[in-house]
Amino acid sequence: MFAMASLPARLIILPLLLLFGTCNANLIRGGDTPQKPFDFFVLALSWSGTSCSSVKDCCPTNACCSSEVATGFTINGFWPDYNNGSWPSCCDGPKYDQNSISIISGFLNTYWPSYDCISAPACGRFIESDLAFEWDTHGKCASPVLSNQYEYFSTALMLYFKYNITEILLKAGYVPSNTVKYPLKDITSAIKNALGVTPIVKCNGHSPIREIQICFDKTLQIEECPTYAPSKCPSRVKLPIKNVTQVPETTNYLSFRGSLNW
Ligand SMILES: *[C@@H]1O[C@H](CO)[C@@H](O)[C@H](O)[C@H]1NC(C)=O
Ligand SMILES: *[C@@H]1O[C@H](CO)[C@@H](O)[C@H](O)[C@H]1NC(C)=O
Ligand SMILES: *[C@@H]1O[C@H](CO)[C@@H](O)[C@H](O)[C@H]1NC(C)=O
């Protein structure tokens, strides 16, 4: 699936690059609570081996239970942020519409998967999927740089393809393993050498890397992240292997989701 999938994805999303030069990033959003324009984007990537280290439920949307979903890093989020460490959320904008991204839904399922069976509510209401959560919570705030759902999701995919951190680490010799620990500073340097910027690495205080973040300015050029959240990683970190989980499917998740009215 991967080999077949990569090429068309690039063909579909690369032309988008041409659009960005002309975007006006200075508009201020209207509505009851106007949002100040954001300052930069964060691309947050989850290490699937860590995301899947404790799986409780399997269901068709849980990537931990599917070998078709990418191992290595997958997209956790693509977030407009402020330089002062906070971020806009729940901005005005069009309602989530699965049809508007149907052409890239295969890539989103593979590279921006959910590691859960139940999606959290977003902006005070129940939503139908993790992607709907991302759109409602963050995606709408990317306007006017990325002004619709297709631009938002395809841009995140395009940057994820362009800056393949899984590949950078593999090429530098950091092979996923459940036992080997690598010096955090060496992993950070390998990425810095490849990209020219220092990534933010997050671990939740334990050795498995949970997330890596890189930042982009509003013209989508990679840049140093303006704000540094503490990484909370030990000095030696792991990149655990993603083990496809085989716990029984939950029997009631469908009816639960059905009750969310989607
Ligand atoms: C950060 O900056 C934004 C945009 O200027 C502002 O709306 C927000 O209140 C600021 N937050 C903090 C914690 O200073
Ligand atoms: C990133 O690189 C890895 C390792 O070379 C590869 O398996 C994977 O398909 C690449 N991901 C994308 C999105 O191109
Ligand atoms: C993966 O999971 C299976 C069954 O859940 C288990 O038997 C196997 O030891 C696991 N492999 C690793 C590398 O953790």
Side-chain angles (χ1 to χ4, degrees), residues 36-37 39 82-87:
K36 300 236 172 62
D39 298 315
Y82 294 129
N83 284 336
N84 63 12
S86 74
W87 56 89

Side-chain angles (χ1 to χ4, degrees), residues 93-141:
K95 198 172 175 303
Y96 180 77
D97 173 16
Q98 172 64 39
N99 292 331
S100 72
I101 49 171
S102 57
I103 193 169
I104 52 170
S105 67
F107 307 113
L108 291 170
N109 291 340
T110 303
Y111 300 119
W112 195 333
S114 164
Y115 292 111
D116 277 309
C117 291
I118 294 166
S119 304
C123 306
R125 57 184 176 275
F126 287 110
I127 38 91
E128 62 264 51
S129 67
D130 278 15
L131 290 180
F133 177 95
E134 291 298 317
W135 172 249
D136 274 11
T137 314
H138 304 282
K140 289 176 182 178
C141 301

Side-chain angles (χ1 to χ4, degrees), residues 164-175 190:
N164 188 337
I165 309 257
T166 309
E167 185 168 75
I168 290 167
L169 292 184
L170 272 180
K171 282 191 172 158
Y174 301 104
V175 181

Side-chain angles (χ1 to χ4, degrees), residues 178 243-244 246:
N178 290 330
N243 195 5
V244 176
Q246 279 151 8

Side-chain angles (χ1 to χ4, degrees), residues 167-223:
E167 185 168 75
I168 290 167
L169 292 184
L170 272 180
K171 282 191 172 158
Y174 301 104
V175 181
S177 164
N178 290 330
T179 49
V180 181
K181 289 187 181 176
Y182 301 112
L184 172 64
K185 65 173 173 39
D186 293 356
I187 289 209
T188 307
S189 311
I191 296 172
K192 172 140 200 195
N193 288 343
L195 301 183
V197 298
T198 307
I200 294 176
V201 184
K202 302 203 166 195
C203 304
N204 280 359
H206 305 292
S207 61
I209 289 181
R210 181 173 57 83
E211 187 169 296
I212 284 189
Q213 300 181 349
I214 51 177
C215 298
F216 298 88
D217 69 19
K218 292 207 275 188
T219 67
L220 303 174
Q221 301 302 304
I222 195 163
E223 66 170 10

